[in-house]
Amino acid sequence: MMHSQKVHPRSEKEKKQLNDRLKRVEGQVRGLQNMVNEDRYCIDILVQLTAVQAALKKVGFDILEEHTKGCVSSAVKSGDQTESIEELMQVIKQFSKT
Amino acid sequence: MMHSQKVHPRSEKEKKQLNDRLKRVEGQVRGLQNMVNEDRYCIDILVQLTAVQAALKKVGFDILEEHTKGCVSSAVKSGDQTESIEELMQVIKQFSKT
Amino acid sequence: MMHSQKVHPRSEKEKKQLNDRLKRVEGQVRGLQNMVNEDRYCIDILVQLTAVQAALKKVGFDILEEHTKGCVSSAVKSGDQTESIEELMQVIKQFSKT
Amino acid sequence: MMHSQKVHPRSEKEKKQLNDRLKRVEGQVRGLQNMVNEDRYCIDILVQLTAVQAALKKVGFDILEEHTKGCVSSAVKSGDQTESIEELMQVIKQFSKT
């Protein structure tokens, strides 16, 4: 069962909240570039880089939780959970390596 | 010993290489925003998000290696390694949590 | 809803398979102690330690998958998924930090 | 330059401290086996498993720090740091994946 579209579309408000957070991450990555240009001390750059990773991971967890409550639960209720739980586990494993 | 500037400034070429990679990460984060706007399937967004994390982590490791070969080694040679190794370990621990 | 017992008890065969893997991990941890006693090179000890972590994490993922397919799916079907998904997410977050 | 033995052997006291911690980890892994045998709730087993991982990772970081202060610093001082920093980075990358 190939997916391309979200089964439970987000509201415009939810989209904005998620994208505001991603825009902040984008801004933080630009900040890293400035630190490189300004020859900032490596440890300071690395501390900032781990802050960007933490913010990105938080966004990921929130999407994961939303997906589990939405798409996975719907699949379970319709008795069709095998594939969606396999997918969920693949992403969780991928997540824990990065 | 507070640091703000890099002890071994990067060449312009090195800066460009590093910032080209960070610009790609920045572009990937914008790509995530488009996927949210297009109501793409959550798993697809999460797979792309882990790719961004992996790219960011790779940049981090390269900065870490360069710092160890440069600043930390200089501190060791000058017999002043305690603080720089403490700093190094703090960042490594932070890195492994994100 | 406090849990202490497993809602879907494992078969004796499943228990044995899981505990055989945990016994191997236990043996590997004893192996680390021997390496310390034999003054083995730190890097060799650390490489072995990451192998133990990987084996332990694999056991964890398999329990997580089984739990998602069993307990969480049952809770979803009975319309009582909120707590079990919250629990699931907490463990996934904990997992990705270690 | 192949290594098998530690360049800076630990004192007997240091060995005992490290192995006492590893023995506790070993005991925790046995504890997991008991939880499996007692059909304990999966989330409780997973929470305990992440505690074992955290303890093991802490031991790993302490060995990593000791190695950096000992063997790597000696190699840097003798102008022979390339290989030891390469090894160090390999282990740090491995560490951050588990």
Side-chain angles (χ1 to χ4, degrees):
Chain A
M1 189 172 62
M2 265 299 299
H3 298 270
S4 70
Q5 290 311 106
K6 191 167 159 48
V7 180
H8 303 259
R10 290 183 186 84
S11 69
E12 286 310 308
K13 190 183 161 201
E14 284 166 339
K15 283 187 195 178
K16 186 178 182 311
Q17 282 171 342
L18 202 52
N19 274 345
D20 284 350
R21 291 167 68 188
L22 287 169
K23 276 193 190 101
R24 272 201 298 279
V25 170
E26 189 191 326
Q28 286 177 298
V29 176
R30 268 195 299 277
L32 291 174
Q33 293 165 49
N34 297 337
M35 292 178 89
V36 170
N37 284 330
E38 293 157 10
D39 270 320
R40 291 284 300 279
Y41 185 54
C42 297
I43 293 286
D44 296 340
I45 297 177
L46 287 170
V47 167
Q48 182 55 24
L49 189 141
T50 55
V52 177
Q53 288 178 306
L56 201 52
K57 193 158 231 183
K58 183 91 185 51
V59 171
F61 277 131
D62 291 348
I63 293 175
L64 193 70
E65 183 158 0
E66 191 205 288
H67 176 67
T68 308
K69 288 179 177 171
C71 304
V72 178
S73 293
S74 304
V76 168
K77 280 175 188 154
S78 63
D80 180 25
Q81 69 259 32
T82 308
E83 190 195 341
S84 55
I85 292 180
E86 297 286 335
E87 274 178 353
L88 185 68
M89 290 308 298
Q90 282 311 320
V91 158
I92 292 169
K93 286 174 187 171
Q94 201 55 33
F95 231 70
S96 96
K97 275 193 207 145
T98 52
Chain B
M1 189 173 60
M2 260 301 296
H3 299 269
S4 68
Q5 290 313 105
K6 191 168 159 47
V7 179
H8 304 257
R10 289 183 186 87
S11 69
E12 287 309 308
K13 189 183 164 203
E14 285 165 339
K15 283 186 194 179
K16 186 179 183 308
Q17 282 170 341
L18 203 50
N19 274 346
D20 284 349
R21 291 167 68 188
L22 287 170
K23 278 195 189 95
R24 272 200 298 279
V25 170
E26 190 190 326
Q28 287 176 298
V29 176
R30 268 195 297 277
L32 291 174
Q33 293 166 48
N34 296 337
M35 292 178 88
V36 169
N37 283 329
E38 293 156 11
D39 269 321
R40 290 284 301 277
Y41 185 52
C42 297
I43 294 287
D44 295 340
I45 298 177
L46 287 169
V47 167
Q48 181 55 24
L49 189 141
T50 55
V52 177
Q53 287 179 307
L56 200 53
K57 195 158 230 183
K58 184 88 184 56
V59 170
F61 277 132
D62 290 348
I63 294 175
L64 193 69
E65 183 157 1
E66 189 206 288
H67 176 68
T68 307
K69 287 180 179 170
C71 304
V72 178
S73 293
S74 303
V76 169
K77 279 174 189 154
S78 63
D80 180 26
Q81 69 259 30
T82 307
E83 191 195 340
S84 58
I85 292 181
E86 297 285 334
E87 273 179 352
L88 185 67
M89 291 307 300
Q90 281 311 320
V91 157
I92 291 168
K93 287 174 186 174
Q94 202 54 35
F95 232 69
S96 94
K97 274 192 205 145
T98 52
Chain C
M1 189 174 58
M2 261 301 298
H3 297 269
S4 70
Q5 290 313 105
K6 190 167 161 48
V7 179
H8 304 259
R10 289 183 187 87
S11 69
E12 286 311 307
K13 190 184 162 201
E14 285 166 338
K15 283 187 196 177
K16 186 176 182 311
Q17 281 171 342
L18 203 51
N19 274 345
D20 284 350
R21 291 167 68 187
L22 287 169
K23 276 194 189 100
R24 271 200 299 278
V25 170
E26 190 191 325
Q28 286 177 298
V29 176
R30 268 195 299 276
L32 291 174
Q33 293 165 48
N34 296 338
M35 293 178 88
V36 170
N37 283 330
E38 292 158 11
D39 269 320
R40 290 283 301 276
Y41 185 53
C42 298
I43 294 286
D44 295 340
I45 298 176
L46 287 169
V47 167
Q48 181 56 25
L49 190 140
T50 55
V52 177
Q53 288 180 306
L56 202 51
K57 195 158 229 183
K58 184 89 185 51
V59 171
F61 277 130
D62 291 349
I63 294 176
L64 193 70
E65 183 158 2
E66 191 207 290
H67 176 67
T68 308
K69 288 179 178 170
C71 305
V72 178
S73 294
S74 304
V76 168
K77 280 174 188 155
S78 63
D80 180 25
Q81 68 258 33
T82 307
E83 191 195 341
S84 57
I85 292 181
E86 296 285 335
E87 272 179 353
L88 184 68
M89 290 309 300
Q90 282 310 319
V91 158
I92 292 169
K93 287 174 187 173
Q94 202 55 34
F95 232 71
S96 95
K97 275 192 208 147
T98 52
Chain D
M1 188 171 58
M2 264 299 300
H3 299 270
S4 71
Q5 291 311 107
K6 192 166 158 50
V7 179
H8 303 259
R10 290 183 187 87
S11 69
E12 286 309 309
K13 190 184 161 202
E14 285 165 339
K15 283 187 195 177
K16 186 179 182 309
Q17 282 170 341
L18 202 50
N19 274 346
D20 285 349
R21 291 167 68 188
L22 287 169
K23 278 194 187 98
R24 271 200 298 278
V25 170
E26 190 191 325
Q28 286 178 298
V29 176
R30 268 195 297 278
L32 291 174
Q33 294 165 48
N34 297 337
M35 292 178 89
V36 170
N37 283 330
E38 293 157 11
D39 270 319
R40 291 284 299 277
Y41 186 52
C42 297
I43 294 288
D44 296 341
I45 297 177
L46 287 169
V47 167
Q48 181 57 23
L49 190 142
T50 55
V52 177
Q53 287 179 306
L56 201 53
K57 193 159 232 182
K58 184 90 184 52
V59 171
F61 277 131
D62 291 349
I63 293 175
L64 192 70
E65 183 158 1
E66 191 206 289
H67 176 68
T68 308
K69 288 179 179 170
C71 304
V72 177
S73 293
S74 304
V76 169
K77 281 173 189 156
S78 63
D80 180 24
Q81 68 259 33
T82 308
E83 190 197 342
S84 55
I85 291 180
E86 297 284 335
E87 273 179 351
L88 184 68
M89 290 308 300
Q90 282 309 320
V91 158
I92 291 168
K93 287 174 187 171
Q94 201 55 35
F95 232 70
S96 95
K97 274 191 208 145
T98 53

